[in-house]
Tab-separated table of all heavy atoms in Angstrom:
chain	number	residue	atom	x	y	z
A	618	ARG	N	8.449	-20.563	-71.268
A	618	ARG	CA	8.946	-20.234	-69.875
A	618	ARG	C	9.610	-21.345	-69.215
A	618	ARG	O	10.628	-21.251	-68.583
A	618	ARG	CB	7.700	-19.597	-69.063
A	618	ARG	CG	7.315	-18.315	-69.675
A	618	ARG	CD	6.232	-17.607	-68.829
A	618	ARG	NE	5.013	-18.204	-68.864
A	618	ARG	CZ	4.110	-17.952	-69.799
A	618	ARG	NH1	4.291	-17.023	-70.789
A	618	ARG	NH2	2.824	-18.476	-69.833
A	619	SER	N	8.944	-22.583	-69.309
A	619	SER	CA	9.445	-23.721	-68.574
A	619	SER	C	10.771	-24.144	-69.375
A	619	SER	O	11.806	-24.568	-68.621
A	619	SER	CB	8.498	-24.907	-68.875
A	619	SER	OG	7.295	-24.720	-68.097
A	620	ILE	N	10.902	-24.031	-70.695
A	620	ILE	CA	12.166	-24.258	-71.382
A	620	ILE	C	13.295	-23.361	-70.953
A	620	ILE	O	14.354	-23.797	-70.656
A	620	ILE	CB	11.965	-24.248	-72.884
A	620	ILE	CG1	11.065	-25.372	-73.321
A	620	ILE	CG2	13.324	-24.315	-73.584
A	620	ILE	CD1	10.593	-25.150	-74.774
A	621	VAL	N	12.962	-22.121	-70.752
A	621	VAL	CA	14.029	-21.125	-70.212
A	621	VAL	C	14.394	-21.535	-68.848
A	621	VAL	O	15.489	-21.471	-68.527
A	621	VAL	CB	13.523	-19.737	-70.360
A	621	VAL	CG1	14.400	-18.759	-69.602
A	621	VAL	CG2	13.496	-19.244	-71.724
A	622	ARG	N	13.334	-21.978	-68.065
A	622	ARG	CA	13.611	-22.288	-66.596
A	622	ARG	C	14.585	-23.480	-66.556
A	622	ARG	O	15.462	-23.496	-65.749
A	622	ARG	CB	12.269	-22.627	-66.024
A	622	ARG	CG	12.310	-23.017	-64.483
A	622	ARG	CD	12.464	-21.656	-63.747
A	622	ARG	NE	12.461	-21.925	-62.390
A	622	ARG	CZ	13.582	-22.087	-61.623
A	622	ARG	NH1	14.710	-21.989	-62.219
A	622	ARG	NH2	13.521	-22.272	-60.400
A	623	VAL	N	14.404	-24.544	-67.377
A	623	VAL	CA	15.166	-25.727	-67.355
A	623	VAL	C	16.548	-25.527	-67.920
A	623	VAL	O	17.603	-25.900	-67.361
A	623	VAL	CB	14.438	-26.895	-67.942
A	623	VAL	CG1	15.379	-28.114	-68.041
A	623	VAL	CG2	13.172	-27.220	-67.265
A	624	LEU	N	16.631	-24.831	-69.084
A	624	LEU	CA	17.836	-24.813	-69.896
A	624	LEU	C	18.611	-23.526	-69.722
A	624	LEU	O	19.797	-23.558	-69.804
A	624	LEU	CB	17.615	-25.059	-71.386
A	624	LEU	CG	16.877	-26.416	-71.637
A	624	LEU	CD1	16.566	-26.477	-73.169
A	624	LEU	CD2	17.767	-27.599	-71.386
A	625	GLY	N	17.920	-22.421	-69.472
A	625	GLY	CA	18.647	-21.124	-69.497
A	625	GLY	C	19.094	-20.722	-68.062
A	625	GLY	O	19.954	-19.804	-67.982
A	626	CYS	N	18.521	-21.383	-67.043
A	626	CYS	CA	18.947	-20.981	-65.674
A	626	CYS	C	19.924	-22.004	-65.038
A	626	CYS	O	19.649	-23.188	-65.265
A	626	CYS	CB	17.695	-20.793	-64.797
A	626	CYS	SG	16.481	-19.693	-65.397
A	627	ASP	N	20.984	-21.492	-64.465
A	627	ASP	CA	21.845	-22.423	-63.690
A	627	ASP	C	21.209	-23.004	-62.559
A	627	ASP	O	20.179	-22.610	-62.086
A	627	ASP	CB	23.094	-21.654	-63.271
A	627	ASP	CG	24.000	-21.282	-64.565
A	627	ASP	OD1	23.896	-21.946	-65.495
A	627	ASP	OD2	24.729	-20.255	-64.439
A	628	HIS	N	21.835	-24.089	-61.998
A	628	HIS	CA	21.288	-24.835	-60.823
A	628	HIS	C	20.953	-23.845	-59.617
A	628	HIS	O	19.888	-24.001	-58.960
A	628	HIS	CB	22.103	-26.004	-60.435
A	628	HIS	CG	21.578	-26.774	-59.293
A	628	HIS	ND1	20.509	-27.602	-59.397
A	628	HIS	CD2	22.007	-26.766	-57.984
A	628	HIS	CE1	20.277	-28.126	-58.242
A	628	HIS	NE2	21.133	-27.693	-57.344
A	629	HIS	N	21.868	-22.998	-59.403
A	629	HIS	CA	21.703	-22.130	-58.242
A	629	HIS	C	20.546	-21.027	-58.450
A	629	HIS	O	20.104	-20.512	-57.488
A	629	HIS	CB	22.970	-21.306	-57.898
A	629	HIS	CG	23.367	-20.362	-59.065
A	629	HIS	ND1	22.824	-19.176	-59.219
A	629	HIS	CD2	24.312	-20.467	-59.969
A	629	HIS	CE1	23.408	-18.559	-60.326
A	629	HIS	NE2	24.339	-19.352	-60.812
A	630	ASP	N	20.131	-20.899	-59.642
A	630	ASP	CA	18.937	-20.036	-59.903
A	630	ASP	C	17.604	-20.805	-59.501
A	630	ASP	O	16.610	-20.113	-59.400
A	630	ASP	CB	18.903	-19.700	-61.334
A	630	ASP	CG	20.020	-18.746	-61.773
A	630	ASP	OD1	20.620	-18.010	-60.893
A	630	ASP	OD2	20.431	-18.787	-62.960
A	631	HIS	N	17.590	-22.074	-59.403
A	631	HIS	CA	16.381	-22.877	-59.130
A	631	HIS	C	16.087	-22.683	-57.681
A	631	HIS	O	16.173	-23.679	-56.940
A	631	HIS	CB	16.547	-24.264	-59.561
A	631	HIS	CG	16.497	-24.410	-60.990
A	631	HIS	ND1	15.373	-24.916	-61.727
A	631	HIS	CD2	17.420	-24.117	-62.072
A	631	HIS	CE1	15.681	-24.892	-63.044
A	631	HIS	NE2	16.894	-24.411	-63.180
A	632	ASP	N	15.907	-21.476	-57.155
A	632	ASP	CA	15.816	-21.241	-55.731
A	632	ASP	C	14.869	-20.080	-55.603
A	632	ASP	O	15.112	-18.975	-56.111
A	632	ASP	CB	17.189	-20.963	-55.085
A	632	ASP	CG	17.087	-20.796	-53.658
A	632	ASP	OD1	16.165	-20.586	-53.043
A	632	ASP	OD2	18.195	-20.891	-52.991
A	633	ASP	N	13.901	-20.184	-54.736
A	633	ASP	CA	12.972	-19.120	-54.516
A	633	ASP	C	13.588	-17.836	-53.952
A	633	ASP	O	13.134	-16.744	-54.097
A	633	ASP	CB	11.747	-19.508	-53.595
A	633	ASP	CG	10.789	-20.387	-54.364
A	633	ASP	OD1	10.142	-19.919	-55.292
A	633	ASP	OD2	10.768	-21.588	-54.042
Side-chain angles (χ1 to χ4, degrees):
R618 292 185 285 275
S619 294
I620 293 167
V621 169
R622 184 78 177 94
V623 172
L624 300 175
C626 300
D627 291 332
H628 180 70
H629 62 79
D630 291 334
H631 289 254
D632 186 342
D633 284 293

